[in-house]
Amino acid sequence: MTRIAVDAMGGDHAPFEIVAGAVWGAAQYGVALELVGKQDQIEQCLETIQQEGFLSDCGKAGKKKKIKVDIKSLDIKITHASEVIEMGEAPGQAIRKKKNSSIVLAVNSVATGSSDGLVAAGSTGAAMASSLFGLGRIPGIDRPAIAVTLPTMKKPVVIIDGGANSNCTPQMLKQFAIMGMTFSKNVLGIQKPKVGVLNIGEEAGKGNELAQSTYNLLEEEKEKFNFMGNVEGKELFLNVCDVVVCDGFAGNVVLKVVEGTSSLLFKMIKSEFKSDFLGMIIGMLAKPFMRRIYGRINYEEFGGCLLLGVKGVTVIAHGRSKAYAIKNAVRVARDAVETQVNKTIAEII
């Protein structure tokens, strides 16, 4: 049975929501767990879940329902961690100083084979640094990158890098393209992914030196990468390509803008529905449709982002993740383990 290690102490809602989501995912997706963190707190969470269950809106932003999980039927291992790396700490220094932190021990669990993959909702920098030093890079990969899946009208699009590397070289972006294609094919099921470079215009000469040089590299092997050229921000959701490569700075800005815009849009629509009597009636009629739309764009549905380029499976979840998002992050980790996406990347590289 695939075993997923979960940093139970990472995230804004740790440890209860993290533990709740982990056991929910274990029950639904048939995996074993290794919960890493302060043992007394984890045991208390498990006892509460066993006796009372927990509430979740199941990613629909509606009325919460009680989720019951039989803890005794699950294969759960607890690994005590006496330390926690906080969000504001410098990742490199923190993992060296706090060797008994939950994220470091969770990575060690994967490195030693105790678990097959891990889920972390704490500091992204700490998760990446721990994975880089604890698991090691795939030979031929200069830097690991975060593969982020975004919904569109037809099929999901992968943005890589989503925030792991602010300063990149054209060769690194070429490697990101290979990793993104492999992820798109093996995990998302897109047989021949099309690759594009995020840029400020469609023409080959547009953008900064990094974008232009990356364009030239991919154009030289156009058939291998199924390269379709530059992609503007407005085209991300139009399915013009399946994999969009960029440096982590631009990628993270895109993600935060998308997240903020979608949140604002739903708040504005909700406000209009409450503005007058007619709006309230229309709002009541539109409620089930709005819930379905919200479910399609909600980050919780995707669970977390896979860190590609390391010798193991690391899924980085949103810091605000609650149980539903963690449950889906467990699914992402399981799928990455079973499809052996990083092994396939190593073979291609």
Side-chain angles (χ1 to χ4, degrees):
M1 182 183 290
T2 299
R3 186 179 297 276
I4 304 300
V6 178
D7 176 6
M9 311 310 294
D12 297 345
H13 303 286
F16 185 81
E17 290 285 340
I18 308 301
V19 173
V23 298
W24 190 4
Q28 184 162 335
Y29 302 117
V31 299
L33 289 178
E34 181 171 357
L35 298 175
V36 186
K38 296 184 178 180
Q39 185 166 350
D40 58 340
Q41 294 185 30
I42 293 174
E43 289 176 343
Q44 186 177 3
C45 291
L46 292 174
E47 184 178 350
T48 300
I49 293 167
Q50 177 67 36
Q51 294 178 357
E52 305 173 14
F54 56 94
L55 294 173
S56 174
D57 64 5
C58 299
K60 296 178 181 178
K63 185 178 179 181
K64 293 186 177 183
K65 69 176 184 178
K66 179 68 71 70
I67 306 296
K68 295 286 288 185
V69 179
D70 183 10
I71 303 294
K72 296 178 182 178
S73 67
L74 301 177
D75 182 351
I76 299 177
K77 173 184 177 182
I78 299 176
T79 297
H80 176 64
S82 59
E83 299 173 301
V84 178
I85 295 179
E86 305 295 341
M87 295 296 288
E89 295 185 72
Q93 295 177 7
I95 64 171
R96 285 192 292 268
K97 186 170 66 173
K98 296 184 174 180
K99 296 186 182 299
N100 289 316
S101 63
S102 54
I103 183 60
V104 170
L105 294 184
V107 170
N108 287 344
S109 174
V110 178
T112 58
S114 175
S115 291
D116 302 294
L118 73 98
V119 171
S123 165
T124 298
M128 180 184 166
S130 297
S131 298
L132 182 58
F133 292 115
L135 302 177
R137 286 182 289 112
I138 291 174
I141 296 293
D142 294 328
R143 295 278 183 87
I146 298 173
V148 181
T149 306
L150 292 179
T152 70
M153 291 297 292
K154 296 181 180 178
K155 53 186 177 180
V157 61
V158 177
I159 293 184
I160 183 168
D161 178 23
N165 308 280
S166 296
N167 298 309
C168 297
T169 65
Q171 189 62 37
M172 287 168 60
L173 264 62
K174 181 181 178 180
Q175 294 168 7
F176 293 172
I178 294 172
M179 293 192 290
M181 290 173 64
T182 307
F183 175 80
S184 181
K185 181 177 180 179
N186 287 268
V187 178
L188 301 181
I190 299 173
Q191 289 307 305
K192 195 175 180 182
K194 294 183 293 184
V195 176
V197 175
L198 184 65
N199 209 328
I200 59 173
E202 296 180 0
E203 298 82 4
K206 287 283 188 176
N208 56 20
E209 184 178 343
L210 175 63
Q212 292 181 29
S213 298
T214 303
Y215 182 103
N216 293 333
L217 275 179
L218 299 182
E219 180 69 19
E220 289 173 1
E221 301 179 75
K222 188 171 184 176
E223 292 187 5
K224 173 183 177 181
F225 288 97
N226 200 14
F227 183 55
M228 52 73 58
N230 289 327
V231 179
E232 295 185 66
K234 65 182 181 181
E235 298 173 317
L236 289 177
F237 302 98
L238 300 181
N239 293 115
V240 297
C241 67
D242 304 297
V243 178
V244 178
V245 296
C246 58
D247 63 82
F249 182 88
N252 196 258
V253 170
V254 167
L255 298 178
K256 296 297 172 59
V257 169
V258 169
E259 184 179 341
T261 302
S262 61
S263 176
L264 173 64
L265 180 60
F266 268 85
K267 287 179 181 178
M268 291 175 67
I269 293 173
K270 189 175 180 180
S271 176
E272 287 298 315
F273 283 156
K274 293 181 178 180
S275 62
D276 53 39
F277 182 70
L278 180 60
M280 292 175 67
I281 295 175
I282 296 173
M284 289 294 293
L285 294 173
K287 199 170 186 178
F289 304 101
M290 296 301 295
R291 282 184 177 176
R292 287 204 293 269
I293 293 172
Y294 180 80
R296 290 178 62 185
I297 67 172
N298 182 15
Y299 75 89
E300 292 180 305
E301 292 291 337
F302 295 91
C305 306
L306 198 59
L307 181 65
L308 300 178
V310 293
K311 297 177 183 177
V313 171
T314 296
V315 175
I316 299 175
H318 201 298
R320 293 191 285 116
S321 293
K322 291 189 176 182
Y324 187 73
I326 297 299
K327 173 185 78 78
N328 289 325
V330 169
R331 183 201 70 236
V332 173
R334 181 206 62 178
D335 291 349
V337 170
E338 293 182 354
T339 57
Q340 297 184 312
V341 62
N342 276 318
K343 180 180 178 181
T344 305
I345 289 172
E347 292 172 351
I348 294 173
I349 290 291

